[in-house]
Amino acid sequence: MKNTKARNASGYMFLTPWLLGFFLLAIGPILVSLYLSFTRYDMVGDPRWTGFDNYIYMFTRDRRFWKTLEVTFHYVLFAVPLRLIMALSVAMLLDKGLRTIGLYRAIFYLPSLLGASIAIAILWRQLFSIDGVVNQVLAVVGIQGVGWITNPSTSIYTLIILAIWQFGAPMLIFLAGLRGIPRDLYEAADIDGTSRFRKFYAITLPMLAPVVFFNLVLQIIEAFKIFSPAFIISNGTGGPADSLLVYTVYLFNEAFKFFRMGYASALAWVLLLIIGLFTALAFATSKYWVHYENERD
Amino acid sequence: MNATEAALAEKELDEAARVAHEYRLAKNKRERRARLFKHIFLIFFSFIMLYPLLWLLASSLKPENEIFGSLGLWPSTFNWSNYSEGWEALPVSFTIFYRNSTIVTVLCVLGNLFSCSFAAYAFARLEFTGKRLFFGLMMMTLMIPYHVVLIPQYVMFLKLGWVDTYLPLIVPRFLASDGFFIFLMVQFFRQIPRELDEAAQIDGCSSFKIYWAVILPLSLPALATSAIFSMIWVWEDFLAPLIYLNDIQNYTVPLALRLFIAQEGESAFGQMFAMSVLSLVPVVIFFVAFQKLIVRGIATSGMK
C-alpha cells in the first residue's frame, strides 16, 4: 500500500540517526567483540583466530581474573544493598511528618550528582589516607586508624562507603514511590492500632516492591560497571595487591595498557554475561516478591 | 427526655469534647516534638553528608601545612594563590582544558538533543514496520555496559584516524547513543494530546513540521532535563576521554585533574584541591538552577 510506504518512509527518516548508531556503535561492536574474543589481537597485526584459548586461559590459569571477580562481587554485594537500604530509610524519614523537605532532598542528592567526577575520587583518596580526615576523626575517639587505601584488606571499603554516600538517586525514586502509596491504607492501619514495623512490612514494602525491584536492577548494573573511582583511588593500578582491581579496571588495563585486545574482548563478553545473568535472576525471582497493583491475584 | 437528662447528656458531650480536645493537643505536641527531633537529626545528617565537600572547599583555601592535621573548616589565612597557581600548575594552562571541555560538552549536548528527540518522535508518534522490535532493541541497549563495545569502537575510530580528536566523543552523540534520553523523551511525547498532531496533519503539515512546530515546543521540560543531564555527564566523563585523547593539549578537565594524582608529591595538594573545586562548580550551578527539573527527571525515568 502506498500509505504504509509513505508512513514507513517518514518513520525511518526520523529513526536514521539512531539506526546508524545502533548498528555502528552498539550491535556491530558487540558482534565484533565476540569475534575478537576468540582471537589474539595486539592492534599491530591482524587478529589471529585461537578458538576458545582466551576463555580457557581466563577460567583455568588467570589468577588475576578470579581476583578481579572476587573484588567486584565483594563490592557489588555490599554497595548495592547498603545503598538501597540507606536510600529507603532516608526516603521514609523524609516522606512523613515534615512540611518542607526540599533542602534536605537537595543536600542528600548532591553527592550522587558529583560522585562520578574525578574531583570526588581525588577527594576520597585524601579523606582515607593515613593522615586523612577519617583517621583524625577516629583519633578524637582514641582509635588508631590505618592507611585505609594502602591496606589491601580495607581499601575496597573506601569504594563501598563512596557508593553509600551517593544514595541520592535511588532515594528520589523511592520518594516518588512512597508518594504513590494511598494514605488511607495507613489510616486504616492506625485505627486498628497496627505497630510501625507491621505497617512497614504489611503496607510499605509490598506497595513499594515494584520500585524496589526497579532500583535493584538499576543499581546492580550500575555497580558492576564501576570504573573511575577505583581507577583514580588506585592511581590506575588496581592495587594495593589488586585489592581495588574491579572488573572494568582490569579490562581497561588489559586492553589499553598491554594491548591484549582479544583477551580484553573475552573479558568484556564475560562481563556482559554476568550482568545479563544477574538481571535475569532479578526478573526470575521478582514474581515471588513483586506484585503490581493492576495485577489480579 | 426530661431537662435533667438533657443537661446530663450535654455535660457528657462537653466532657467528651474536652477529652478529644486534650487528646488532640497532646497529639499535636507529640507530633511537634517528633518533627523537631527529626529536623535536628536531619540537620546533623546533612552536615555529615556535606562534610567531605566542605572539607574539599576549605582545603583548597588552606595553606599547605594546614590541610592535613586539622578537621577544621575555616582556614587560618585564605590562600587564594592555590587557585591562581593551580590554574597554571600543569604544563598546559587550565584555560585550555576548560576550553576543550566546553567544546566537547556543548557539541555533545546538541547532538543528544537532536538525535534523541528524532528517535523519540518516531517511537512515540509514527507508525512504521518494525517499530516494536526496534523499541525493544533500544531498551536493551540501555543495559549494555560501555566496556563491551569499547574495544571495537576504539579499533574503528583508530582506523578512521579519529584518535586524539574530539570526534569519537561527539559523533556517537549525534547518533543517539544515549538511549536514556530517548526513553525519557518518548515518555514525555506520549503525554502530548494526539489531537494536536491530527489537527496539524489536516492542515497539511508534514511529519517533520509536526515534530518541529508542535512536539518540540511542547516538550521543553523534557528537552531541558535531557540537556542538563547530558551536560553533567559529559562534563564528568572520564573513561572515553582517557582512551581517545593523548596529547595534553587536547585534555578535558577530568583528564587534567588526573595529572595531579599522577605527579603526586611534586605538586601541591592545595592546588589540586582548588582545581577539583573549580571542576565541580559548573555542575553545582546547574544543580542549583535546575533542581526541580533534575529531581522530576530522576523520579520519572529512574536515571542515575
Side-chain angles (χ1 to χ4, degrees), chain B:
Chain B
M1 201 196 282
N2 64 33
T4 9
E5 268 176 7
L8 218 67
E10 204 171 301
K11 212 176 158 197
E12 258 170 36
L13 269 180
D14 278 355
E15 182 65 17
R18 200 179 54 79
V19 169
H21 181 65
E22 263 171 21
Y23 175 76
R24 218 171 296 136
L25 276 185
K27 195 178 169 212
N28 275 350
K29 207 172 161 194
R30 235 187 5 253
E31 272 175 5
R32 252 207 312 278
R33 195 179 299 160
R35 252 206 311 272
L36 184 70
F37 276 123
K38 225 178 220 188
H39 276 297
I40 292 173
F41 175 77
L42 284 170
I43 288 168
F44 176 70
F45 189 56
S46 300
F47 178 73
I48 295 179
M49 288 293 288
L50 286 182
Y51 185 83
L53 298 173
L54 296 174
W55 186 85
L56 177 67
L57 183 63
S59 301
S60 75
L61 289 164
K62 283 178 179 173
E64 201 72 6
N65 60 355
E66 243 175 73
I67 294 177
F68 296 101
S70 108
L71 292 170
L73 291 176
W74 204 257
S76 65
T77 50
F78 281 78
N79 221 10
W80 293 105
S81 62
N82 281 343
Y83 282 84
S84 52
E85 282 163 19
W87 191 265
E88 304 290 343
L90 298 174
V92 174
S93 157
F94 265 83
T95 315
I96 304 287
F97 302 138
Y98 273 85
R99 188 203 63 190
N100 297 343
S101 269
T102 308
I103 294 172
V104 171
T105 306
V106 169
L107 288 173
C108 285
V109 169
L110 284 178
N112 268 337
L113 286 183
F114 276 109
S115 63
C116 293
S117 66
F118 255 57
Y121 177 67
F123 284 132
R125 275 302 205 259
L126 302 175
E127 293 304 325
F128 53 90
T129 324
K131 173 169 138 170
R132 282 168 144 257
L133 172 74
F134 283 126
F135 189 72
L137 289 172
M138 190 275 290
M139 294 302 288
M140 267 176 60
T141 61
L142 296 183
M143 231 190 67
I144 298 169
Y146 182 53
H147 289 83
V148 178
V149 294
L150 190 62
I151 292 165
Q153 279 190 14
Y154 180 80
V155 173
M156 176 174 77
F157 289 135
L158 186 74
K159 295 217 157 124
L160 287 171
W162 286 7
V163 168
D164 220 9
T165 73
Y166 299 133
L167 293 172
L169 309 179
I170 294 165
V171 171
R173 261 78 183 212
F174 278 90
L175 300 179
S177 65
D178 274 324
F180 264 124
F181 299 122
I182 304 180
F183 178 60
L184 182 95
M185 291 181 197
V186 166
Q187 301 283 79
F188 197 92
F189 290 176
R190 277 183 181 154
Q191 292 168 6
I192 299 172
R194 262 181 194 275
E195 288 78 19
L196 293 174
D197 304 29
E198 281 154 17
Q201 215 164 12
I202 291 166
D203 285 350
C205 284
S206 65
S207 49
F208 186 79
K209 189 85 197 281
I210 294 172
Y211 158 81
W212 187 253
V214 178
I215 300 289
L216 280 196
L218 288 173
S219 308
L220 290 182
L223 296 177
T225 310
S226 305
I228 293 159
F229 274 108
S230 49
M231 177 267 156
I232 292 171
W233 290 347
V234 175
W235 185 264
E236 289 183 342
D237 188 17
F238 178 64
L239 179 55
L242 179 67
I243 287 163
Y244 290 114
L245 304 178
N246 302 325
D247 187 351
I248 186 171
Q249 289 284 344
N250 292 332
Y251 272 19
T252 56
V253 174
L255 286 184
L257 286 179
R258 200 227 155 180
L259 286 182
F260 276 111
I261 292 255
Q263 48 176 245
E264 208 168 58
E266 296 161 43
S267 62
F269 281 106
Q271 298 175 3
M272 175 171 81
F273 291 143
M275 292 305 106
S276 299
V277 169
L278 281 188
S279 78
L280 297 177
V281 166
V283 180
V284 173
I285 290 177
F286 263 69
F287 176 59
V288 173
F290 300 109
Q291 208 215 104
K292 273 221 175 91
L293 281 173
I294 291 178
V295 167
R296 208 180 314 142
I298 293 169
T300 54
S301 72
M303 288 191 294
K304 50 182 171 181

Side-chain angles (χ1 to χ4, degrees), chain A residues 73-117:
Chain A
F73 276 91
H74 192 158
Y75 173 77
V76 172
L77 287 179
F78 278 82
V80 173
L82 290 176
R83 180 191 266 185
L84 288 182
I85 288 169
M86 190 73 156
L88 183 57
S89 318
V90 176
M92 286 177 58
L93 198 65
L94 289 180
D95 181 49
K96 257 180 279 171
L98 296 176
R99 284 196 208 101
T100 48
I101 61 162
L103 187 62
Y104 296 127
R105 197 177 53 188
I107 290 173
F108 298 155
Y109 178 62
L110 189 61
S112 289
L113 205 58
L114 302 178
S117 63

